Amino acid sequence: MSTPQTEKHPVRWHIAVFLAPAVIVYTTIMILPLFGTLQLSFFRQIDREAVFVGLDNFRTLLLDPRWSASFWNALGNNMWFFVVHMLVQNPIGILLAAILSSPRLRLAAFYRTAIFIPTILSFVIVGFGWKLILSPIWGVAPSLLDAVGLKVLFAPWLGKEEYALTTLSLISVWQFVGIPMMLIYAALLTIPDEIIEAAECDGITGMSQFWKVKLPLILPSIGIISVLTFVANFNAFDLIYSAQGALAGPNFATDILGTFLYRTFFGFQLQIGDPNMGSTIASIMFLIILAGVCFYLFVIQRRLRRYQF
Amino acid sequence: MTAKHMKTLLLSATLLSSASMAHAEDVTLTVESWRNDDLSIWQDTIIPAFEAKHPGIKVKFTPSAPAEYNAVLNSKLEAGSAGDLITCRPFDASLALYDKGYLASLADLEGIKNFSDVAKSAWITDDGANPFCVPMASVIHGFIYNKAAFESLGIAVPQTEDEFFAALDKIKEDGNYIPMAMGTNDQWEAATMGYQNIGPNYWKGEEGRKALIAGTQKLTDDQWVAPYRTLAKWKDYLGDGFEAQTYPDSQNLFTLGRAAVYPAGSWEISGFNTQADFEMGAFIPPVKAAGDPCYISDHTDIAIGMNAKTSHPDETRTFLNWVASPEFATLYANALPGFFPLSSEPVTLEDPLAQEFISWRQKCEPTIRSTYQILSRGTPNLENETWNASANVIRGTESPEDAAKRLQDGLASWYEPQK
């Protein structure tokens, strides 16, 4: 073009135009509600008037004996929920991915699809389905165990305080194991054949090849999966609600932050909802998730070594 | 040209819509309700019966979904577009509407005299001076049993607690039936069909309930702990794995004939009648010793009141008086067996099981669920805590004394008279 380059850059409208839809939509449906929630948590209804109370709601939640008992119970349960996912879901996901990526496995596409299908099922279907499977009255679990003579092992797992949460965590693991499997599978496929061949030339094969060559290469993916699991678990609500109801029985043994928030915010049965305390719980959940993600971003991710091929 | 067209259209639209009101001089009353299940009953039975007797008044039943009703009604009332007649939820939800001036006081309504104090208790100001809704129906608690099972085992209908547990023992020993169909998975049955079902016999119905509200009795007093001790004994008679048994599971166990006794509320009647193919009977919550006075939970559930801003107050009152009459009570009770009219006037019911339930009103003192009036206004919520405590006691994970103490501490933390 013959026009000389001017000193000033022209205003680059197209950037704003292209960003606008995402910014507008994200702001209205995510950022504004987030700040609305934070704002609500600093107020309290006194005689039908919203009164600014500073951090008083947080003090109530964390220090009042009744509120704090429910809160720590929910947080503790949530931690266990997360621990089960980290210890069961992710290792199994990695294992499945490793098996699937083995070139000698036949019907790999079928297994991949079959294992991934529960992930796309609705929580309600999963909750009710498993509730029926495990039902002591009509369920297939007791009759199956009976058929192999192990009926003594059966217990009404969803109704016992000591097992209910673990049972639900494992159901959730069953549902979502497809996600780590897919991500790791994709990561394993990106490892170039040259590296594997080089390893073979050096005499590293079989299991030690997985531990010494492949695992270090997929560590960044495992990190991402851990963060996704963390966020999903601390936001979880649906499965507990559809299987155990809002009271998260038995005796609040399956109460996690999500169900605790729901009961408080919207109320339950004769309990009238308390949006202010509900928002306080939501804000704490936000802070917990924020802290977890920051820990990952600033502590873990920096130390992960990445390899360029 | 187009403007003229528009005018004609608007005019004809107005004419058409007013034409649907039939006669110009007729007054149309609109009923707000959450009972969309009852739409056909209102349209086919109740409204024609009323309109036949009261020419010049038309009634329109416009229900909304139960879960949305409170919110929808509130916004309609605020906007001034709510119907003339408002179906009332029991206790605090309706009391709040009265306090805000949306519901009119019915203290001077002729028909309100047809109702006992217990019947009115859910829709009256705390001082008892102003009733604001005409009670329509209540549900009664008791036990429904499988007659065939009782006959084959030679068990008589139990009157006392000892007979009750002896009967359960016998059923258990025989092994053909699960003695009692109830689970603790959903928790509310343990409180509603357990604690509130058998409890009134211990705390002497209204006497205990009112004393609790007044603060002269505590939940740790013996009459409030004793029902928990009895509940704790139920554990051995519930089916295998009752901890994970849900409410529909229990209903199915009973209607399939696999369980002999079902701790019930009368709302089950119509469902059970269609599901079960054996004859059912019902008995009162057993008393301690033969001849003791009996108390039943006759829980007020639904009522109807007047929008304070209605433009047809006289016609609305006419309708409310009719709702208070035996004619309405009979129509409603027979259309919905298990929802019993609250009027003190005698009512004829056709369903035998419903007849059995309602006959208890002659023998026993009625009361309502102890946790519903006033006591569930604060946090922690006594009703919700009672669910949890009752389920814990039945599962045997909390002792009756500990449960009662926890409830008392919770109530005392916010309710002045109990401090």
Side-chain angles (χ1 to χ4, degrees), chain A residues 66 131 136-138 156 159-161 247 249-251 268-271, chain B residues 187 241 243 245-246 249 379-381 384 387-388 392 395 397 409:
Chain A
R66 248 164 259 289
K131 227 171 134 176
I137 303 159
W138 342 96
K160 294 271 196 191
E161 278 175 49
L247 277 184
N251 196 19
F268 183 66
Q269 189 64 7
L270 294 195
Q271 173 82 58
Chain B
Q187 307 193 30
E243 291 98 333
Q245 185 177 324
T246 62
D249 284 345
T379 311
N381 185 285
N384 294 4
W387 289 18
N388 176 259
N392 283 356
R395 283 189 290 119
T397 55
D409 289 349

PDB file of all heavy atoms in Angstrom, chain A residues 66 131 136-138 156 159-161 247 249-251 268-271, chain B residues 187 241 243 245-246 249 379-381 384 387-388 392 395 397 409:
ATOM      1  N   ARG A  66     -23.309 -23.988  66.448  1.00  0.00           N
ATOM      2  CA  ARG A  66     -24.183 -24.763  65.568  1.00  0.00           C
ATOM      3  C   ARG A  66     -23.785 -24.641  64.101  1.00  0.00           C
ATOM      4  O   ARG A  66     -23.606 -25.626  63.392  1.00  0.00           O
ATOM      5  CB  ARG A  66     -25.614 -24.257  65.721  1.00  0.00           C
ATOM      6  CG  ARG A  66     -26.504 -25.217  66.364  1.00  0.00           C
ATOM      7  CD  ARG A  66     -27.748 -24.511  66.810  1.00  0.00           C
ATOM      8  NE  ARG A  66     -27.669 -24.250  68.233  1.00  0.00           N
ATOM      9  CZ  ARG A  66     -27.758 -25.195  69.131  1.00  0.00           C
ATOM     10  NH1 ARG A  66     -27.938 -26.429  68.775  1.00  0.00           N
ATOM     11  NH2 ARG A  66     -27.675 -24.916  70.416  1.00  0.00           N
ATOM     12  N   LYS A 131     -29.097 -45.888  43.285  1.00  0.00           N
ATOM     13  CA  LYS A 131     -29.929 -46.086  44.472  1.00  0.00           C
ATOM     14  C   LYS A 131     -30.727 -47.382  44.325  1.00  0.00           C
ATOM     15  O   LYS A 131     -30.888 -48.139  45.270  1.00  0.00           O
ATOM     16  CB  LYS A 131     -30.889 -44.905  44.584  1.00  0.00           C
ATOM     17  CG  LYS A 131     -30.944 -44.330  45.976  1.00  0.00           C
ATOM     18  CD  LYS A 131     -31.730 -43.048  45.933  1.00  0.00           C
ATOM     19  CE  LYS A 131     -32.702 -43.025  47.070  1.00  0.00           C
ATOM     20  NZ  LYS A 131     -33.427 -41.757  47.148  1.00  0.00           N
ATOM     21  N   PRO A 136     -31.666 -52.291  49.324  1.00  0.00           N
ATOM     22  CA  PRO A 136     -31.718 -53.581  50.012  1.00  0.00           C
ATOM     23  C   PRO A 136     -32.979 -54.365  49.663  1.00  0.00           C
ATOM     24  O   PRO A 136     -33.048 -55.565  49.898  1.00  0.00           O
ATOM     25  CB  PRO A 136     -31.702 -53.188  51.488  1.00  0.00           C
ATOM     26  CG  PRO A 136     -32.163 -51.781  51.532  1.00  0.00           C
ATOM     27  CD  PRO A 136     -31.760 -51.149  50.237  1.00  0.00           C
ATOM     28  N   ILE A 137     -33.979 -53.713  49.083  1.00  0.00           N
ATOM     29  CA  ILE A 137     -35.255 -54.384  48.836  1.00  0.00           C
ATOM     30  C   ILE A 137     -35.354 -54.898  47.413  1.00  0.00           C
ATOM     31  O   ILE A 137     -35.631 -56.062  47.178  1.00  0.00           O
ATOM     32  CB  ILE A 137     -36.422 -53.436  49.137  1.00  0.00           C
ATOM     33  CG1 ILE A 137     -36.302 -52.970  50.574  1.00  0.00           C
ATOM     34  CG2 ILE A 137     -37.750 -54.126  48.908  1.00  0.00           C
ATOM     35  CD1 ILE A 137     -37.042 -51.711  50.851  1.00  0.00           C
ATOM     36  N   TRP A 138     -35.129 -54.010  46.443  1.00  0.00           N
ATOM     37  CA  TRP A 138     -35.288 -54.449  45.056  1.00  0.00           C
ATOM     38  C   TRP A 138     -33.964 -54.522  44.315  1.00  0.00           C
ATOM     39  O   TRP A 138     -33.927 -54.890  43.153  1.00  0.00           O
ATOM     40  CB  TRP A 138     -36.210 -53.515  44.259  1.00  0.00           C
ATOM     41  CG  TRP A 138     -37.085 -52.641  45.083  1.00  0.00           C
ATOM     42  CD1 TRP A 138     -36.830 -51.359  45.446  1.00  0.00           C
ATOM     43  CD2 TRP A 138     -38.349 -52.980  45.665  1.00  0.00           C
ATOM     44  NE1 TRP A 138     -37.860 -50.886  46.208  1.00  0.00           N
ATOM     45  CE2 TRP A 138     -38.807 -51.851  46.350  1.00  0.00           C
ATOM     46  CE3 TRP A 138     -39.128 -54.139  45.640  1.00  0.00           C
ATOM     47  CZ2 TRP A 138     -40.015 -51.835  47.035  1.00  0.00           C
ATOM     48  CZ3 TRP A 138     -40.329 -54.120  46.324  1.00  0.00           C
ATOM     49  CH2 TRP A 138     -40.755 -52.973  47.016  1.00  0.00           C
ATOM     50  N   PRO A 156     -26.886 -51.981  53.808  1.00  0.00           N
ATOM     51  CA  PRO A 156     -27.556 -50.852  53.150  1.00  0.00           C
ATOM     52  C   PRO A 156     -26.608 -49.663  53.099  1.00  0.00           C
ATOM     53  O   PRO A 156     -26.723 -48.721  53.881  1.00  0.00           O
ATOM     54  CB  PRO A 156     -28.767 -50.591  54.039  1.00  0.00           C
ATOM     55  CG  PRO A 156     -28.430 -51.161  55.357  1.00  0.00           C
ATOM     56  CD  PRO A 156     -27.464 -52.272  55.122  1.00  0.00           C
ATOM     57  N   GLY A 159     -27.458 -46.076  53.526  1.00  0.00           N
ATOM     58  CA  GLY A 159     -28.190 -45.694  54.729  1.00  0.00           C
ATOM     59  C   GLY A 159     -27.345 -45.718  55.986  1.00  0.00           C
ATOM     60  O   GLY A 159     -27.831 -45.399  57.058  1.00  0.00           O
ATOM     61  N   LYS A 160     -26.088 -46.119  55.864  1.00  0.00           N
ATOM     62  CA  LYS A 160     -25.226 -46.198  57.048  1.00  0.00           C
ATOM     63  C   LYS A 160     -24.292 -45.005  57.079  1.00  0.00           C
ATOM     64  O   LYS A 160     -23.633 -44.707  56.082  1.00  0.00           O
ATOM     65  CB  LYS A 160     -24.386 -47.487  56.996  1.00  0.00           C
ATOM     66  CG  LYS A 160     -25.221 -48.749  57.101  1.00  0.00           C
ATOM     67  CD  LYS A 160     -25.399 -49.131  58.550  1.00  0.00           C
ATOM     68  CE  LYS A 160     -25.888 -50.583  58.650  1.00  0.00           C
ATOM     69  NZ  LYS A 160     -26.322 -50.892  60.010  1.00  0.00           N
ATOM     70  N   GLU A 161     -24.218 -44.383  58.253  1.00  0.00           N
ATOM     71  CA  GLU A 161     -23.380 -43.191  58.353  1.00  0.00           C
ATOM     72  C   GLU A 161     -21.944 -43.460  57.937  1.00  0.00           C
ATOM     73  O   GLU A 161     -21.295 -42.627  57.320  1.00  0.00           O
ATOM     74  CB  GLU A 161     -23.387 -42.662  59.792  1.00  0.00           C
ATOM     75  CG  GLU A 161     -24.595 -41.812  60.097  1.00  0.00           C
ATOM     76  CD  GLU A 161     -24.645 -41.391  61.549  1.00  0.00           C
ATOM     77  OE1 GLU A 161     -23.617 -40.898  62.042  1.00  0.00           O
ATOM     78  OE2 GLU A 161     -25.701 -41.559  62.185  1.00  0.00           O
ATOM     79  N   LEU A 247     -31.347 -33.009  52.847  1.00  0.00           N
ATOM     80  CA  LEU A 247     -30.859 -33.179  54.216  1.00  0.00           C
ATOM     81  C   LEU A 247     -29.598 -34.036  54.269  1.00  0.00           C
ATOM     82  O   LEU A 247     -29.031 -34.226  55.342  1.00  0.00           O
ATOM     83  CB  LEU A 247     -31.937 -33.813  55.096  1.00  0.00           C
ATOM     84  CG  LEU A 247     -32.986 -32.854  55.670  1.00  0.00           C
ATOM     85  CD1 LEU A 247     -33.919 -33.591  56.596  1.00  0.00           C
ATOM     86  CD2 LEU A 247     -32.344 -31.697  56.411  1.00  0.00           C
ATOM     87  N   GLY A 249     -28.736 -37.177  54.243  1.00  0.00           N
ATOM     88  CA  GLY A 249     -28.705 -38.185  55.288  1.00  0.00           C
ATOM     89  C   GLY A 249     -27.712 -39.269  54.982  1.00  0.00           C
ATOM     90  O   GLY A 249     -27.099 -39.255  53.927  1.00  0.00           O
ATOM     91  N   PRO A 250     -27.521 -40.230  55.848  1.00  0.00           N
ATOM     92  CA  PRO A 250     -28.053 -40.305  57.208  1.00  0.00           C
ATOM     93  C   PRO A 250     -27.295 -39.395  58.173  1.00  0.00           C
ATOM     94  O   PRO A 250     -26.062 -39.402  58.161  1.00  0.00           O
ATOM     95  CB  PRO A 250     -27.818 -41.775  57.563  1.00  0.00           C
ATOM     96  CG  PRO A 250     -26.703 -42.212  56.682  1.00  0.00           C
ATOM     97  CD  PRO A 250     -26.759 -41.386  55.444  1.00  0.00           C
ATOM     98  N   ASN A 251     -28.052 -38.644  58.944  1.00  0.00           N
ATOM     99  CA  ASN A 251     -27.480 -37.748  59.946  1.00  0.00           C
ATOM    100  C   ASN A 251     -26.364 -36.869  59.371  1.00  0.00           C
ATOM    101  O   ASN A 251     -25.307 -36.735  59.965  1.00  0.00           O
ATOM    102  CB  ASN A 251     -26.954 -38.568  61.132  1.00  0.00           C
ATOM    103  CG  ASN A 251     -26.707 -37.682  62.340  1.00  0.00           C
ATOM    104  OD1 ASN A 251     -27.250 -36.576  62.403  1.00  0.00           O
ATOM    105  ND2 ASN A 251     -25.907 -38.150  63.274  1.00  0.00           N
ATOM    106  N   PHE A 268     -35.551 -25.234  53.556  1.00  0.00           N
ATOM    107  CA  PHE A 268     -35.970 -26.612  53.351  1.00  0.00           C
ATOM    108  C   PHE A 268     -37.139 -26.917  54.272  1.00  0.00           C
ATOM    109  O   PHE A 268     -37.056 -26.652  55.465  1.00  0.00           O
ATOM    110  CB  PHE A 268     -34.799 -27.559  53.645  1.00  0.00           C
ATOM    111  CG  PHE A 268     -35.148 -28.982  53.393  1.00  0.00           C
ATOM    112  CD1 PHE A 268     -35.419 -29.401  52.109  1.00  0.00           C
ATOM    113  CD2 PHE A 268     -35.268 -29.878  54.427  1.00  0.00           C
ATOM    114  CE1 PHE A 268     -35.775 -30.705  51.868  1.00  0.00           C
ATOM    115  CE2 PHE A 268     -35.629 -31.181  54.187  1.00  0.00           C
ATOM    116  CZ  PHE A 268     -35.879 -31.594  52.901  1.00  0.00           C
ATOM    117  N   GLN A 269     -38.212 -27.447  53.708  1.00  0.00           N
ATOM    118  CA  GLN A 269     -39.408 -27.763  54.479  1.00  0.00           C
ATOM    119  C   GLN A 269     -39.831 -26.528  55.283  1.00  0.00           C
ATOM    120  O   GLN A 269     -40.091 -25.497  54.710  1.00  0.00           O
ATOM    121  CB  GLN A 269     -39.146 -28.982  55.370  1.00  0.00           C
ATOM    122  CG  GLN A 269     -40.366 -29.547  56.051  1.00  0.00           C
ATOM    123  CD  GLN A 269     -41.382 -30.108  55.080  1.00  0.00           C
ATOM    124  OE1 GLN A 269     -41.145 -30.209  53.895  1.00  0.00           O
ATOM    125  NE2 GLN A 269     -42.562 -30.455  55.563  1.00  0.00           N
ATOM    126  N   LEU A 270     -39.883 -26.596  56.595  1.00  0.00           N
ATOM    127  CA  LEU A 270     -40.336 -25.435  57.360  1.00  0.00           C
ATOM    128  C   LEU A 270     -39.250 -24.378  57.525  1.00  0.00           C
ATOM    129  O   LEU A 270     -39.504 -23.276  57.961  1.00  0.00           O
ATOM    130  CB  LEU A 270     -40.821 -25.866  58.751  1.00  0.00           C
ATOM    131  CG  LEU A 270     -42.065 -26.748  58.794  1.00  0.00           C
ATOM    132  CD1 LEU A 270     -42.636 -26.781  60.182  1.00  0.00           C
ATOM    133  CD2 LEU A 270     -43.119 -26.261  57.830  1.00  0.00           C
ATOM    134  N   GLN A 271     -38.009 -24.749  57.216  1.00  0.00           N
ATOM    135  CA  GLN A 271     -36.912 -23.793  57.343  1.00  0.00           C
ATOM    136  C   GLN A 271     -37.004 -22.782  56.207  1.00  0.00           C
ATOM    137  O   GLN A 271     -36.998 -23.153  55.046  1.00  0.00           O
ATOM    138  CB  GLN A 271     -35.580 -24.542  57.272  1.00  0.00           C
ATOM    139  CG  GLN A 271     -34.361 -23.656  57.221  1.00  0.00           C
ATOM    140  CD  GLN A 271     -33.955 -23.187  58.599  1.00  0.00           C
ATOM    141  OE1 GLN A 271     -33.682 -23.978  59.478  1.00  0.00           O
ATOM    142  NE2 GLN A 271     -33.968 -21.870  58.786  1.00  0.00           N
TER     143      GLN A 271
ATOM    144  N   GLN B 187     -35.889 -39.697  55.997  1.00  0.00           N
ATOM    145  CA  GLN B 187     -35.948 -39.039  57.304  1.00  0.00           C
ATOM    146  C   GLN B 187     -37.317 -38.523  57.739  1.00  0.00           C
ATOM    147  O   GLN B 187     -37.687 -38.660  58.887  1.00  0.00           O
ATOM    148  CB  GLN B 187     -34.927 -37.895  57.399  1.00  0.00           C
ATOM    149  CG  GLN B 187     -33.527 -38.360  57.039  1.00  0.00           C
ATOM    150  CD  GLN B 187     -32.470 -37.335  57.417  1.00  0.00           C
ATOM    151  OE1 GLN B 187     -32.616 -36.590  58.361  1.00  0.00           O
ATOM    152  NE2 GLN B 187     -31.391 -37.327  56.693  1.00  0.00           N
ATOM    153  N   GLY B 241     -32.224 -53.740  55.964  1.00  0.00           N
ATOM    154  CA  GLY B 241     -31.679 -52.591  55.254  1.00  0.00           C
ATOM    155  C   GLY B 241     -32.599 -51.389  55.250  1.00  0.00           C
ATOM    156  O   GLY B 241     -32.567 -50.601  54.321  1.00  0.00           O
ATOM    157  N   GLU B 243     -32.324 -48.805  56.660  1.00  0.00           N
ATOM    158  CA  GLU B 243     -31.571 -47.545  56.666  1.00  0.00           C
ATOM    159  C   GLU B 243     -31.540 -46.916  55.280  1.00  0.00           C
ATOM    160  O   GLU B 243     -31.456 -45.704  55.150  1.00  0.00           O
ATOM    161  CB  GLU B 243     -30.124 -47.769  57.133  1.00  0.00           C
ATOM    162  CG  GLU B 243     -29.983 -48.127  58.598  1.00  0.00           C
ATOM    163  CD  GLU B 243     -29.832 -49.623  58.798  1.00  0.00           C
ATOM    164  OE1 GLU B 243     -30.330 -50.391  57.948  1.00  0.00           O
ATOM    165  OE2 GLU B 243     -29.227 -50.029  59.810  1.00  0.00           O
ATOM    166  N   GLN B 245     -33.938 -47.604  52.985  1.00  0.00           N
ATOM    167  CA  GLN B 245     -35.272 -47.750  52.400  1.00  0.00           C
ATOM    168  C   GLN B 245     -35.915 -46.372  52.263  1.00  0.00           C
ATOM    169  O   GLN B 245     -35.954 -45.606  53.216  1.00  0.00           O
ATOM    170  CB  GLN B 245     -36.084 -48.653  53.333  1.00  0.00           C
ATOM    171  CG  GLN B 245     -37.449 -49.025  52.839  1.00  0.00           C
ATOM    172  CD  GLN B 245     -38.128 -49.995  53.813  1.00  0.00           C
ATOM    173  OE1 GLN B 245     -37.487 -50.854  54.411  1.00  0.00           O
ATOM    174  NE2 GLN B 245     -39.419 -49.830  54.011  1.00  0.00           N
ATOM    175  N   THR B 246     -36.431 -46.067  51.073  1.00  0.00           N
ATOM    176  CA  THR B 246     -37.027 -44.751  50.853  1.00  0.00           C
ATOM    177  C   THR B 246     -38.535 -44.803  51.075  1.00  0.00           C
ATOM    178  O   THR B 246     -39.115 -45.875  51.260  1.00  0.00           O
ATOM    179  CB  THR B 246     -36.774 -44.270  49.421  1.00  0.00           C
ATOM    180  OG1 THR B 246     -37.408 -45.187  48.530  1.00  0.00           O
ATOM    181  CG2 THR B 246     -35.294 -44.214  49.120  1.00  0.00           C
ATOM    182  N   ASP B 249     -40.294 -46.901  48.563  1.00  0.00           N
ATOM    183  CA  ASP B 249     -39.996 -48.304  48.875  1.00  0.00           C
ATOM    184  C   ASP B 249     -40.988 -48.826  49.907  1.00  0.00           C
ATOM    185  O   ASP B 249     -41.548 -49.917  49.762  1.00  0.00           O
ATOM    186  CB  ASP B 249     -38.584 -48.447  49.472  1.00  0.00           C
ATOM    187  CG  ASP B 249     -37.490 -48.329  48.421  1.00  0.00           C
ATOM    188  OD1 ASP B 249     -37.823 -48.422  47.230  1.00  0.00           O
ATOM    189  OD2 ASP B 249     -36.331 -48.138  48.810  1.00  0.00           O
ATOM    190  N   THR B 379     -33.674 -20.621  63.741  1.00  0.00           N
ATOM    191  CA  THR B 379     -32.587 -21.508  63.332  1.00  0.00           C
ATOM    192  C   THR B 379     -31.854 -21.945  64.589  1.00  0.00           C
ATOM    193  O   THR B 379     -31.466 -21.088  65.366  1.00  0.00           O
ATOM    194  CB  THR B 379     -31.619 -20.763  62.404  1.00  0.00           C
ATOM    195  OG1 THR B 379     -32.382 -20.119  61.404  1.00  0.00           O
ATOM    196  CG2 THR B 379     -30.611 -21.698  61.800  1.00  0.00           C
ATOM    197  N   PRO B 380     -31.646 -23.218  64.818  1.00  0.00           N
ATOM    198  CA  PRO B 380     -32.032 -24.355  63.997  1.00  0.00           C
ATOM    199  C   PRO B 380     -33.545 -24.599  64.025  1.00  0.00           C
ATOM    200  O   PRO B 380     -34.199 -24.322  65.016  1.00  0.00           O
ATOM    201  CB  PRO B 380     -31.308 -25.524  64.661  1.00  0.00           C
ATOM    202  CG  PRO B 380     -31.164 -25.119  66.080  1.00  0.00           C
ATOM    203  CD  PRO B 380     -30.984 -23.638  66.058  1.00  0.00           C
ATOM    204  N   ASN B 381     -34.018 -25.115  62.918  1.00  0.00           N
ATOM    205  CA  ASN B 381     -35.441 -25.305  62.718  1.00  0.00           C
ATOM    206  C   ASN B 381     -35.894 -26.589  63.402  1.00  0.00           C
ATOM    207  O   ASN B 381     -35.406 -27.671  63.082  1.00  0.00           O
ATOM    208  CB  ASN B 381     -35.662 -25.384  61.208  1.00  0.00           C
ATOM    209  CG  ASN B 381     -37.096 -25.462  60.838  1.00  0.00           C
ATOM    210  OD1 ASN B 381     -37.711 -26.506  61.002  1.00  0.00           O
ATOM    211  ND2 ASN B 381     -37.621 -24.376  60.346  1.00  0.00           N
ATOM    212  N   ASN B 384     -37.159 -29.604  61.166  1.00  0.00           N
ATOM    213  CA  ASN B 384     -36.102 -30.295  60.420  1.00  0.00           C
ATOM    214  C   ASN B 384     -35.188 -31.082  61.347  1.00  0.00           C
ATOM    215  O   ASN B 384     -34.748 -32.184  61.024  1.00  0.00           O
ATOM    216  CB  ASN B 384     -35.288 -29.302  59.601  1.00  0.00           C
ATOM    217  CG  ASN B 384     -36.102 -28.655  58.496  1.00  0.00           C
ATOM    218  OD1 ASN B 384     -37.300 -28.912  58.393  1.00  0.00           O
ATOM    219  ND2 ASN B 384     -35.493 -27.836  57.699  1.00  0.00           N
ATOM    220  N   TRP B 387     -36.770 -34.358  62.288  1.00  0.00           N
ATOM    221  CA  TRP B 387     -36.602 -35.401  61.262  1.00  0.00           C
ATOM    222  C   TRP B 387     -35.330 -36.171  61.540  1.00  0.00           C
ATOM    223  O   TRP B 387     -35.314 -37.402  61.608  1.00  0.00           O
ATOM    224  CB  TRP B 387     -36.455 -34.787  59.867  1.00  0.00           C
ATOM    225  CG  TRP B 387     -37.669 -34.181  59.284  1.00  0.00           C
ATOM    226  CD1 TRP B 387     -38.794 -33.799  59.942  1.00  0.00           C
ATOM    227  CD2 TRP B 387     -37.871 -33.851  57.911  1.00  0.00           C
ATOM    228  NE1 TRP B 387     -39.675 -33.251  59.065  1.00  0.00           N
ATOM    229  CE2 TRP B 387     -39.136 -33.268  57.821  1.00  0.00           C
ATOM    230  CE3 TRP B 387     -37.094 -33.996  56.768  1.00  0.00           C
ATOM    231  CZ2 TRP B 387     -39.660 -32.831  56.604  1.00  0.00           C
ATOM    232  CZ3 TRP B 387     -37.611 -33.555  55.568  1.00  0.00           C
ATOM    233  CH2 TRP B 387     -38.887 -32.981  55.487  1.00  0.00           C
ATOM    234  N   ASN B 388     -34.253 -35.388  61.681  1.00  0.00           N
ATOM    235  CA  ASN B 388     -32.932 -35.973  61.854  1.00  0.00           C
ATOM    236  C   ASN B 388     -32.860 -36.781  63.147  1.00  0.00           C
ATOM    237  O   ASN B 388     -32.396 -37.921  63.152  1.00  0.00           O
ATOM    238  CB  ASN B 388     -31.927 -34.817  61.843  1.00  0.00           C
ATOM    239  CG  ASN B 388     -30.531 -35.261  62.107  1.00  0.00           C
ATOM    240  OD1 ASN B 388     -30.047 -35.111  63.215  1.00  0.00           O
ATOM    241  ND2 ASN B 388     -29.894 -35.829  61.109  1.00  0.00           N
ATOM    242  N   ASN B 392     -32.307 -40.789  63.534  1.00  0.00           N
ATOM    243  CA  ASN B 392     -31.163 -41.280  64.306  1.00  0.00           C
ATOM    244  C   ASN B 392     -31.596 -42.255  65.389  1.00  0.00           C
ATOM    245  O   ASN B 392     -30.950 -43.280  65.613  1.00  0.00           O
ATOM    246  CB  ASN B 392     -30.428 -40.114  64.975  1.00  0.00           C
ATOM    247  CG  ASN B 392     -29.578 -39.349  63.996  1.00  0.00           C
ATOM    248  OD1 ASN B 392     -29.475 -39.733  62.835  1.00  0.00           O
ATOM    249  ND2 ASN B 392     -28.985 -38.275  64.449  1.00  0.00           N
ATOM    250  N   ARG B 395     -32.555 -45.570  63.892  1.00  0.00           N
ATOM    251  CA  ARG B 395     -31.378 -46.308  63.447  1.00  0.00           C
ATOM    252  C   ARG B 395     -30.505 -46.739  64.619  1.00  0.00           C
ATOM    253  O   ARG B 395     -29.580 -47.529  64.458  1.00  0.00           O
ATOM    254  CB  ARG B 395     -30.545 -45.457  62.481  1.00  0.00           C
ATOM    255  CG  ARG B 395     -31.153 -45.412  61.086  1.00  0.00           C
ATOM    256  CD  ARG B 395     -30.234 -44.759  60.084  1.00  0.00           C
ATOM    257  NE  ARG B 395     -30.119 -43.332  60.348  1.00  0.00           N
ATOM    258  CZ  ARG B 395     -28.985 -42.728  60.652  1.00  0.00           C
ATOM    259  NH1 ARG B 395     -27.875 -43.404  60.722  1.00  0.00           N
ATOM    260  NH2 ARG B 395     -28.968 -41.435  60.887  1.00  0.00           N
ATOM    261  N   THR B 397     -28.478 -44.769  66.338  1.00  0.00           N
ATOM    262  CA  THR B 397     -27.179 -44.098  66.397  1.00  0.00           C
ATOM    263  C   THR B 397     -27.171 -42.957  67.405  1.00  0.00           C
ATOM    264  O   THR B 397     -26.146 -42.350  67.632  1.00  0.00           O
ATOM    265  CB  THR B 397     -26.761 -43.546  65.022  1.00  0.00           C
ATOM    266  OG1 THR B 397     -27.803 -42.705  64.536  1.00  0.00           O
ATOM    267  CG2 THR B 397     -26.525 -44.673  64.041  1.00  0.00           C
ATOM    268  N   ASP B 409     -31.772 -28.005  73.310  1.00  0.00           N
ATOM    269  CA  ASP B 409     -30.713 -26.994  73.227  1.00  0.00           C
ATOM    270  C   ASP B 409     -30.900 -26.119  71.995  1.00  0.00           C
ATOM    271  O   ASP B 409     -30.727 -24.903  72.047  1.00  0.00           O
ATOM    272  CB  ASP B 409     -29.329 -27.658  73.176  1.00  0.00           C
ATOM    273  CG  ASP B 409     -28.960 -28.283  74.513  1.00  0.00           C
ATOM    274  OD1 ASP B 409     -29.685 -28.012  75.493  1.00  0.00           O
ATOM    275  OD2 ASP B 409     -27.967 -29.039  74.570  1.00  0.00           O
TER     276      ASP B 409
END
